[in-house]
Amino acid sequence: MYNFPGFIKQAPIIRKTDRADICLKVHTVSLSFLSEDIRMKNEGKSAQRPDNTAFTQQRLPAWQPILSAGIVIPGFLIIGLAFIGIGIGLFLTSQTIQVQEMDYTGVEKDSPCFRCTIPSNLNCTCEVTFSLSTLFTGPVFFYYGLSNYYQNFRRYGVSKDYNQLTGDTRYFKSRSPEEDCSPYSYDSNNNPIVPCGAIANSIFNDTFELYQIINGTKKQVPLDGRGISWWTDYNIKYRNPSPVNGSLAKAFDGTVKPINWPRPAYELDLTDPNNNGFLNQDFLVWMRRAALPQFRKLYRRITDGDYAAGLPAGNYSLTVHYNYPVLSFDGRKKVVFSNVSWMGGKNNFLGLAYLVVGSLCVVMSVVMLVVYAKFKFSDDDDA
Amino acid sequence: MADSKTERGVKWEVRANDHYFHQSCRRKSFLCFRWGRYADNVVRSYKYTPLTFLPLNLYEQFQRVANLFFLLIVILQCVPIIATIPWYSTMLPLLFVLLVRGCKDLATDLGRRRSDGQINRRPCDILTPEGFKTVKWKDVRVGDILQVHKDQVIPADLLLLCSTEPHSLCYVETADIDGETNLKFRQALSVTHTELNGDSVKQNLAAFDGIVWCEKPNGNLHSFKGELHWKGERHLLDTDHLLLRGTVLRNTDIAYGLAIYTGSDSKILQNCGKLKLKNTQVEMLLNKTVLVILLFMITTALLLAVGAGLFEHRVSPKYDVVSVLQRDSSPAYLGFITFWGYIILLSPSMPMSLYITFEVIHMVHCLLIGWDIEMYWEDNNSPAQARTTTLNEELGQVGHLLSDKTGTLTQNRLLFRQCFIAGHIYGDMSKELKPLDLSWNRFSCGGLKFSDQRLVDKLRERSSPECQEFFTALALCHTVMSEWRDGLPHYQAASPDEEALVCAARELGWVFLSRTRETLTISEMGLTRNYQLLALLDFTSKRRRMSVLVRDPGGQLKLYCKGADIVVLERLQRDWPLQESTERALELFAQGCLRTLCVAVRSVPEALWTEWSRTLSQAGTSTGNQETVLEEIYDQMEKDLTLLGVTAIEDRLQEGVPETIATLRRAGLKVWVLTGDKTETAVNVGYACKLMDPDTILIQGEELRQLLESPSPDVHVMSKEPEVWITDRRAVKSKAALVISGPELAEMTKAPEWGAKFVALSDQCQSVLCCRVTPAQKAEVVEMVRKHSTSITMAIGDGANDVNMIKTAHIGVGLCGVEGSQAVQNADFALAQFRFLRRLLLVHGHWSYYRICILLRYFLYKTTAFALVHIWYSFYNGFSAQPMYESWFISLYTTLYTSLPIQCMGFFEQDVSTKSCLCWPEIYSIGQKEQLFNPLVLAITLLYSVYTSIILFFIPMGILQYSALDYQTLAVTVQTSVLLTMTVEVILHTKFWTKYSVAAVVFSLVAFFLSTLALHSTRLFTASPKDYFFLGASPNAYSTPEVWLTICLTTCIAVLPSITIRALGVVLTNPNKHKIHSSNKPVELKSWFQRGTLQRRSSYAVSQGKGFGKLITTGVGLPSTAPPQDRRVTADSLKKESPQGSLIEMNSGDVAC
């Protein structure tokens, strides 16, 4: 809107002038093309009458749930009770699960593995004994646990080469993103490390043997290491390179083992030739990194022989081949024996959480009932 | 010669019929370069060409800070060392946003191209050597001679050469240019008229070789300076010779013109201003919130980076697995790197897709406004129209409605309803009228809303000389021009009042047939009589009356006068009869909200006339203040009048206006009326349209001044009413209205502190009426309200004079009424009727506000809760910027998994039904008070999202830390919980479940589970192991009962507060409130209402400007003996200016206030 006071003089002669509004001639401007557009439309006689449909008129059939106290209060009660029910179920189930957990880090001087904590002591073996008063029902799961160990550190987590681990030998010599595996990509002689990266390099290398002590003699409990990794990991995600002339070792020609490893990948399990390379179960379990700095990973299952029904009551001895250093970062190592239920391992927290939430809901419903009753009666009084 | 042209400012050369000259100087352009002089007549309102679309559109889009921010994030993600999540997780949403926006822009631009094409393809006739040929508008060139037919739109700015009318007059309608619907005339130079017109007009035109020198193209619609050089002579040109593009030729068979300015040079296109983009308060608050989130994000990232540095410093040296990875970088450097990593990781908390969703929702709401059949006006086939697509939610927050009066509240259609003649009142105000039988009158055109057989009988029987004289006066005393169509006289009047009166006289047998410069011909009951017009004492707003001095066929001199009652009554002969009954009649008419005019007559002795006319002609030549001199001279003649009667004209309110205003007032809106009309009229209309109650007291003039001067203005002080009122504070507040006039307002705006006081005072009153305000003052008032109150202002008007205020207000509404489309062009919303405002505000506005506020809150909640989880996870991963989610989830979360349900809510949600919105206007106040979107609500929303993020992380973490489940399982658990929580939350928000809403929720969930499973499938992993390394994570997780138990628990705890608050709300609210939802009480607009008025409110209405006085007195356009002369540029041209001419100048100055 512009005013041109200088041009007030020449008023158009025929003027509709009943309105003092136009009295001061304001030269209004800023017309848009649309004025012509509108005219065109009007000329076109195309009726601009909007469609009378439920959609355009915002009359779509709709369900409008109207909550009332009659729905809300019982609703809360029902939800609360359901949660309490689930919580009790979970809690009771959790109680039936047996857990035997032992820290074998050897921080305390009197602990059996204390002597193995001295760095110079290589190939140290220590023995942890424990006794079971009742039958430990099977199948028993045997975990190792680490704490204060940041497997979820981002740079650690990306330090591997997925392409290499699918057994693609093209990636043995060259890395897809060069950065990821570094500095565990090449050794000091510039030989490519396979499998590369920090995760593989830092594989947990303590090993365990479990014995039942029957009348002073040790009877070895058979540990089953098969199928402890994810099916997808074992069958799809990780593949060994195709053996060259029937030898897996030849496929790894020209590569070197990760620095911390005692043996190359194709010799991870000397007892079972099929449990080698990238398909080694312990390797697979380790590569599936943990979410939190305190974690446990499945080591073995006890499913075979005399122990298929579980570990009978009695004394046991666990022989630990102590290799993995954790003391430098205040880490802890432990072993856990546990059986499982439908809901997984022992987890009191889950049941308790359900119980708490359920109780809260019930309490809320009672509070609301009281409030509602007060309101309602005061309304009645008003009426 | 050339220098003198430069001096005179005429540098634009147009040679008639010289195609080659203009062709050589055509304006061309390539990209942004332009050369040449003359534009072609093609309208190009589109922005993009196929070549420029991509760069230009991207440039525009990246002007948005949000888009730019995310572009920076994408760039950051390409730096490997800080790329916490892969580049595509931000790139995908960004591309999505850019694509949607680009498509929208493209569609709009194509629409513009289409409408351009329609205009460019319109036909017009151009003179070619073979005669007139029909071509398209776009082919018109400067220098072409065009032939324009009756009712055609003029395609370019033309110099009128000649027309088929006498004196080469032609009439144009300029409704699209200045909003005035009345016809204006343009006249060709008499030299072109005489030389070119004739039987061989085509040959003459083809031979025409004049050269026009005029000013360069400019946007000044009301001035034009130029000269025509032809046959060795120079003729001055001005606006009267110019036919502007966009005007319509009327009442003229054919006009011939020379194209001077074409296309973008034409005045109307030069005037095209750019629309200022308006931002809503909600959007501004949103922007601030986004800024707060950004600051929060940066601070958090900074703190986490410090954490990372500390971790590097304290922990990792002992932890060789990690420390080796960092390769001996300093903790500070690592912290710096981590900072950027966290910026990337937390960037999803910035609601990027919010802006695009916001736009889409706005667009749909605008469409819904246009689609509303309840706001469609059958009569002129116009639906409501949302022209600005960013203001919808503000429709639900309007606190002040500033309305124009004429044409907005009133129909601007005046009806002769009653009259008072010789002690009798004829006609009544009843609704149902028996139409009079007027078949005896062959000139009757119908349209009379007057029924009183007594008067007709008296007139037909000629039994009442007073009545005859009264109607003779009506038929003579006016400045109306007649035009004959189908054997009936049609009138062109300067004021609708006059037209109503002359039409009424025609219907009742006193037909004004025609006029020349010196005569008036009327038919009195079939008897044609000629009156000699001696003088026309034209109307001015100061005189408030007009008179004609005529010599009747009997040779008697008579002065007929009509005017506002106070001016006429004081000029009557002393002790005039019927004084009391006249007063009573005036009072009665005023009660019926009728505009009254007094009609009077005076017999003038011959001697007086001779003397008076001499004085008049002397005054014409005298110098000095001619205006006052003339006024005095006129005064001498207009005295000793005899009252003939009083006319009463109804200024009809628009349909449904009182009901609408009453409803809006209940909704808490302050309705102000800003009008150029006089105080009395405005007050009258104010009472009539329920703006004020019948017993409302008016505070105006001195009273108002005193009140404003007092330190704390309070209405109670002023109320001199009984004690009862003072005790009831609220009653007093609602029973006062402020009335202020333009001059007072001008004074007030000088003292700035008065504005605040005035607005504060007005809040205590029912209403405010601003009378006699200029368009500029209207805008000032709007500005004042905007400045001194926090509420949203809405201005509504229909005419060109409202454009200022429409543009100034937060929201401008234009009524597409009779006054052309100027107001609509500048408005944000266009309506056909004032009463549609009720639906626009209470239904569409309320819903828009509700939907948009809920949407924004939910959006902020969902993005922040989603991103904050990363913060909590940092404490457990050594501040390493490890993402909690899979990168695909991050990119698909905003775009695919959570966008549809909330959009459906934004489209369809109805918290209360249409009927309830209209039945309980009080609901509207939630928008006015900003109850749904204010800093407090936002803070609560953000705190709640913090709570949710804590739950979303710590519950799964607490449960899963005891198990042997890995990171990927935890990620799947958390992201499923996030999604379910957000879905439950949107379900809780939705109160109106259409099939689309259900489908959207189902779709989102299905899309999430399907795409999660797909992304974790073998096929994708084998294609690219690096990007799909979550292989098998979700099938594994979803087959673990523990995960499901965790998800269930997490979701429940996360939404529990939200559910509890809603449940408490349900329990605590009075059950009666639910009726709002379920009520089916019908709402209808009553078409009429009963007025109850207690006080006399006289209204005086006469035309407010000058009439056709100039036309009549100069005789232009009338068959008269002396055709007017052109102004030649001769030495004595100034002296030739007739005294009449200067008199006219004066009158027009008068009109300009």
Side-chain angles (χ1 to χ4, degrees), chain B residues 578-600:
Chain B
L578 297 171
Q579 197 158 353
E580 209 172 292
S581 62
T582 310
E583 288 283 349
R584 222 174 30 242
L586 282 170
E587 202 166 308
L588 201 71
F589 293 155
Q591 277 176 18
C593 294
L594 299 172
R595 308 225 271 213
T596 53
L597 277 181
C598 289
V599 182

Side-chain angles (χ1 to χ4, degrees), chain B residues 360-469:
Chain B
V360 171
I361 298 264
H362 271 145
M363 228 162 64
V364 170
H365 286 185
C366 288
L367 284 177
L368 286 170
I369 287 173
W371 283 338
D372 196 334
I373 205 156
E374 305 261 317
M375 296 202 291
Y376 169 74
W377 181 237
E378 225 43 91
D379 289 15
N380 60 357
N381 184 28
S382 57
Q385 201 188 346
R387 298 173 49 84
T388 307
T389 53
T390 53
L391 298 175
N392 297 66
E393 72 270 15
E394 236 159 48
L395 286 178
Q397 292 181 280
V398 177
H400 282 87
L401 174 68
L402 299 108
S403 171
D404 173 41
K405 185 186 74 68
T406 320
T408 306
L409 300 178
T410 58
Q411 283 180 349
N412 207 12
R413 217 178 90 210
L414 301 178
L415 299 171
F416 180 79
R417 292 303 296 265
Q418 281 180 298
C419 58
F420 168 83
I421 310 168
H424 293 283
I425 292 175
Y426 299 99
D428 56 30
M429 282 302 291
S430 62
K431 246 192 294 176
E432 285 85 29
L433 289 174
K434 297 198 298 280
L436 288 174
D437 177 24
L438 295 171
S439 53
W440 49 269
N441 183 357
R442 67 185 181 92
F443 294 112
S444 167
C445 303
L448 186 67
K449 288 268 183 197
F450 176 85
S451 90
D452 200 326
Q453 198 57 42
R454 290 179 299 158
L455 181 64
V456 177
D457 291 344
K458 274 189 189 165
L459 287 173
R460 293 192 73 182
E461 289 160 13
R462 297 178 173 271
S463 58
S464 160
E466 293 96 341
C467 290
Q468 293 173 31
E469 191 74 357

Side-chain angles (χ1 to χ4, degrees), chain B residues 1 5 29 39 95 99 161 274 384 398 431 511 676 973 1084 1093:
Chain B
M1 183 75 186
K5 275 179 192 136
S29 69
L95 276 181
L99 198 73
L161 294 175
K274 280 194 174 170
V398 177
K431 246 192 294 176
V511 188
T973 311
E1084 37 181 271
T1093 46

Side-chain angles (χ1 to χ4, degrees), chain B residues 694-757:
Chain B
D695 50 352
T696 300
I697 52 162
L698 301 179
I699 302 174
Q700 54 182 321
E702 201 50 42
E703 225 176 357
L704 178 65
R705 189 188 304 274
Q706 282 171 10
L707 204 55
L708 287 172
E709 274 166 2
S710 69
S712 60
D714 202 344
V715 182
H716 323 117
V717 188
M718 295 312 296
S719 97
K720 297 158 189 147
E721 300 300 319
E723 289 288 305
V724 202
W725 279 30
I726 295 160
T727 49
D728 190 352
R729 239 181 113 90
R730 286 185 61 200
V732 175
K733 273 190 183 179
S734 60
K735 290 292 179 194
L738 303 180
V739 180
I740 191 162
S741 71
E744 287 169 334
L745 201 66
E747 199 181 306
M748 201 175 83
T749 37
K750 277 182 209 152
E753 72 274 17
W754 281 33
K757 273 188 188 173

